Amino acid sequence: MNFIDLRSDTVTQPTPEMRQAMAQAPVGDDVYGEDPTVNRLQELAASMTGKEAGLFVPSGTMGNLSAILAHCGRGDEVIMGAQAHTFLYEGGGISALGGVHSHQVQEQPDGSLAFEDLTAAIRPDDAHQPPTRLIEIENTHNRCGGTYQTPEYMRRLGEFAHERGILVHLDGARIFNAAVAQGVDVKELTGPVDSLTFCLSKGLSAPVGSVVCGTREFVRRAHRIRKQVGGGMRQAGILAAAGIVALEKMVSRLGEDHARARKLAAGLREVRGLRLGEGHPATNMVFFDLAEEVPMSAKDVAEKMKARGVLVGVTGARRFRLVTHCWIDDAGVEQAVAAFRDVLAA
Ligand code: TLP
């Protein structure tokens, strides 16, 4: 069966143009810095995000790990949201491997971190407490519903942190979704931060990889950490070639995914037994719950959806996440809504 896979935008497969670019990519040994395609991707990523340098890494998780460990030493503290991907889904790597202490602040519903909460979380200069070195912000914010932060918020956050001698790292796994949704150049979102990770393998459809960007000096340190965690790759240009196509060809179409997410949400809102929050999805994610009267769990419903050819993400006992991406067309959206209607009517 050919599934309509709405579990994540990570399920996207390389486009025919990517496969062709991969087959033809000139390659070299990237541990020696000699892979021309990796170098081209890194330069392109840095120039698009307005940073001095970029570093190709196998995953968003390794990108955030390398960046945070490049900024923080053992015992230093990073402030991040309680729903941050780095806190919830990266295996505690920053603590396990880097001895970095994390301090959670509850996000606002839109995924932002409130300045009064950040002010309260910053440690005084006191030997009892770990020094606050870094703030991490996620944009778009996955668990907060694919919400985005504005250029104005990012600018204020940068100023707030820098005035206090603190650095900012952006988990921008989906930063291009945030930029496209607001119709702004991505540099308006990345300019104020000291470093960022963004992913090629989510909505941009590349098979593997993320890029960490920042100053040349920061990237030199992140590069060493990438090596320490085994992320030094050899003829990685094969993968980077798809990343170049992702950046050149796949960014501008992300708005289609956002429009389909709105269409999906509108359809699901009409299905008895589902509860969607007010307003439109901000980008490509639709989160919703089962109504109280539904006797099934989200897992039960997901199994029945699967039997109807639709894969959905389950993020809680009665909660779902559906993510649109370039492999989901209008017919897929309609089929997903119809399948929910069918399952919940049964
Ligand atoms: N997110 C995945 C899952 O791990 C939840 C998904 O399906 O959305 N930052 C953010 C905001 C992410 O959403 C993800 C992946 C990552 C980092 C990590 O990227 P990878 O999976 O490449 O390590």
Side-chain angles (χ1 to χ4, degrees):
M1 186 186 278
N2 250 348
F3 287 104
I4 293 167
D5 195 344
L6 290 156
R7 289 172 301 170
S8 183
D9 46 11
T10 59
V11 303
T12 46
Q13 299 196 5
T15 63
E17 194 177 348
M18 286 178 187
R19 288 182 188 270
Q20 202 176 349
M22 293 169 81
Q24 292 167 356
V27 295
D29 191 326
D30 182 49
V31 170
Y32 297 154
E34 289 173 1
D35 189 304
T37 311
V38 170
N39 292 340
R40 225 180 104 209
L41 170 65
Q42 291 176 163
E43 281 158 25
L44 177 63
S47 94
M48 284 175 81
T49 58
K51 300 296 175 199
E52 283 176 12
L55 179 71
F56 185 46
V57 288
S59 67
T61 299
M62 193 186 288
N64 288 332
L65 176 71
S66 310
I68 293 173
L69 268 52
H71 288 308
C72 302
R74 299 186 72 79
D76 286 346
E77 190 162 82
V78 49
I79 299 175
M80 65 180 74
Q83 312 278 334
H85 191 277
T86 299
F87 181 57
L88 294 178
Y89 301 120
E90 294 176 14
I94 58 167
S95 310
L97 305 172
V100 177
H101 200 247
S102 79
H103 188 156
Q104 281 66 60
V105 163
Q106 191 58 58
E107 291 92 345
Q108 299 301 300
D110 70 355
S112 64
L113 303 176
F115 291 100
E116 53 272 31
D117 293 339
L118 290 172
T119 303
I122 294 170
R123 309 284 189 169
D125 183 11
D126 171 350
H128 295 83
Q129 302 190 29
T132 306
R133 200 66 74 196
L134 184 67
I135 297 172
E136 185 193 73
I137 184 81
E138 193 172 307
N139 191 9
T140 64
H141 199 299
N142 185 340
R143 288 295 291 223
C144 289
T147 47
Y148 56 74
Q149 302 311 316
T150 62
E152 168 64 11
Y153 176 83
M154 297 301 288
R155 199 180 49 69
R156 277 186 67 202
L157 180 66
E159 280 171 14
F160 171 91
H162 296 149
E163 276 164 11
R164 290 160 179 78
I166 296 169
L167 299 169
V168 181
H169 173 68
L170 164 64
D171 176 357
R174 298 183 180 82
I175 195 64
F176 289 101
N177 292 84
V180 167
Q182 300 178 78
V184 300
D185 188 312
V186 74
K187 287 192 200 72
E188 293 194 47
L189 303 171
T190 57
V193 303
D194 300 282
S195 64
L196 70 135
T197 304
F198 73 82
C199 295
L200 298 160
S201 64
K202 300 196 165 58
L204 300 183
S205 208
V208 175
S210 296
V211 188
V212 181
C213 298
T215 63
R216 233 176 279 290
E217 173 53 23
F218 158 81
V219 165
R220 204 184 54 76
R221 281 180 277 126
H223 180 262
R224 179 178 290 262
I225 291 153
R226 184 187 72 173
K227 187 69 187 159
Q228 288 176 330
V229 295
M233 298 181 284
R234 301 293 177 173
Q235 287 71 36
I238 294 278
L239 301 172
I244 292 170
V245 176
L247 286 177
E248 288 179 341
K249 300 287 169 67
M250 302 300 283
V251 172
S252 59
R253 59 149 310 285
L254 289 172
E256 291 175 34
D257 301 340
H258 302 167
R260 289 204 176 92
R262 292 195 291 272
K263 191 173 161 181
L264 180 61
L268 294 173
R269 200 163 268 130
E270 301 303 313
V271 176
R272 269 177 66 150
L274 297 181
R275 293 279 174 274
L276 275 85
E278 294 298 308
H280 294 304
T283 56
N284 66 334
M285 294 185 182
V286 186
F287 282 82
F288 53 98
D289 297 291
L290 283 175
E292 274 165 31
E293 65 270 17
V294 175
M296 293 175 278
S297 68
K299 210 162 148 262
D300 297 335
V301 171
E303 268 163 33
K304 291 178 192 293
M305 291 291 290
K306 186 174 178 184
R308 287 160 177 81
V310 182
L311 301 179
V312 299
V314 172
T315 59
R318 302 183 67 76
R319 193 159 174 78
F320 301 95
R321 181 188 75 161
L322 269 53
V323 187
T324 54
H325 49 75
C326 62
W327 292 75
I328 300 293
D329 58 11
D330 289 330
V333 167
E334 281 156 26
Q335 199 173 324
V337 173
F340 265 111
R341 196 179 299 118
D342 191 30
V343 167
L344 290 164

